[in-house]
Amino acid sequence: MTTRARVAIVTGAARGIGAAIAERLARDGCDLALLDLDSQACAQTAAAVRAAGRRAEAITVNVADEASVARAAAEVQDALGPPAVLVNNAGVLREKTLSKMTLEDWQLVQDVNLCGAFLMCRAVQGAMKQAGHGRIVNLSSIAALGAFGQANYAAAKAGLIGFTRALALELGRNGITANAVAPGFVATAMTEGVAERMGMDFDAMVAEAVKDIPAGRPGEPEDIANAVSFFADARAGFVNGQVLYVAGGPRG
């Protein structure tokens, strides 16, 4: 009898860290639901997952919208089966100092980074409870410890840590673990966008960031994917409510 692969959902899976996580989980033997606002951009991620011999579905979703999340969760169930792993990676940045930050800047970051994780967890927890097993991994950030010009992002990422720990307490009895990965500086399209908005050369930004990283290099998406893989593994059932800083040095 063939054992069916675990189904993993990764939000923000079109590129960068999300794509790397999806590809790593595919190598770990998972089938992947790739959720993103830009489903076309997920095509390359889906192709990489299929090249690893796993099933993949690219699904358009706005994680900040309750109805959109409900539809996406139903699509995952219909196309791949009940999810065993959920990785909340979708996120946005709107960096400004407090005096320049608008309510829209604040609310958008909370809606996508924090509310999106809440909506996704709520949408899949029923299936995980029914199965008596589940892995939830939320992507926080070292910004949760405080970041200049990112009060909105820092608040959302710190909120994710508290949310994760609360989930661990609530869902642990159902065989569901909830943990968080908090990346440090990672060279991605998102951080390139920050440099562009700041009018700064990206290579110069990387060089400046590396000065504060004991490992002497910026993070790569695969570094984060490896940490997520650990938390998502079926053997990590006694690791719950934890935050792993993947930042090239001690944090927290």
Side-chain angles (χ1 to χ4, degrees):
M1 180 177 178
T2 301
T3 302
R4 191 167 188 175
R6 293 187 304 157
V7 174
I9 298 174
V10 180
T11 68
R15 56 184 63 84
I17 290 173
I21 291 170
E23 291 174 30
R24 174 56 201 258
L25 292 180
R27 293 196 298 274
D28 291 343
C30 293
D31 292 333
L32 269 298
L34 311 168
L35 275 56
D36 204 284
L37 268 176
D38 189 349
S39 59
Q40 286 188 327
C42 277
Q44 289 185 333
T45 309
V49 169
R50 293 181 186 120
R54 307 265 45 111
R55 296 182 298 161
E57 291 288 333
I59 298 172
T60 304
V61 64
N62 175 4
V63 296
D65 181 80
E66 185 174 15
S68 181
V69 167
R71 285 194 298 271
E75 284 188 51
V76 173
Q77 184 90 19
D78 291 343
L80 297 174
V85 178
L86 169 64
V87 183
N88 285 306
N89 168 73
V92 295
L93 278 166
R94 290 295 184 272
E95 63 283 343
K96 290 178 184 175
T97 56
L98 185 62
S99 62
K100 297 178 181 178
M101 188 175 292
T102 66
L103 180 59
E104 182 181 3
D105 294 327
W106 174 271
Q107 196 63 56
L108 176 64
V109 171
Q110 307 311 312
D111 286 348
V112 175
N113 293 277
L114 184 53
C115 185
F118 156 70
L119 291 173
M120 288 299 308
C121 288
R122 193 181 63 176
V124 305
Q125 54 87 31
M128 290 182 176
K129 283 181 178 178
Q130 188 173 7
H133 172 87
R135 298 284 180 266
I136 295 171
V137 186
N138 294 321
L139 270 289
S140 182
S141 167
I142 61 167
L145 303 173
F148 183 87
Q150 294 184 349
N152 49 3
Y153 191 69
K157 292 302 187 180
L160 271 174
I161 291 175
F163 176 61
T164 299
R165 287 174 170 158
L167 289 183
L169 295 172
E170 287 188 24
L171 302 177
R173 70 192 65 185
N174 302 111
I176 303 167
T177 63
N179 294 286
V181 173
F185 183 86
V186 181
T188 64
M190 179 179 281
T191 47
E192 285 185 24
V194 172
E196 184 177 347
R197 289 190 293 273
M198 293 176 62
M200 186 176 184
D201 177 74
F202 183 60
D203 290 337
M205 173 183 274
V206 171
E208 188 65 28
V210 167
K211 291 179 182 178
D212 295 324
I213 301 175
R217 66 170 178 87
E220 299 176 356
E222 289 73 19
D223 294 316
I224 314 307
N226 290 335
V228 171
S229 172
F230 164 70
F231 282 136
D233 194 279
R235 294 168 292 184
F238 204 55
V239 183
N240 199 14
Q242 302 304 305
V243 182
L244 177 58
Y245 290 90
V246 186
R251 299 283 179 171

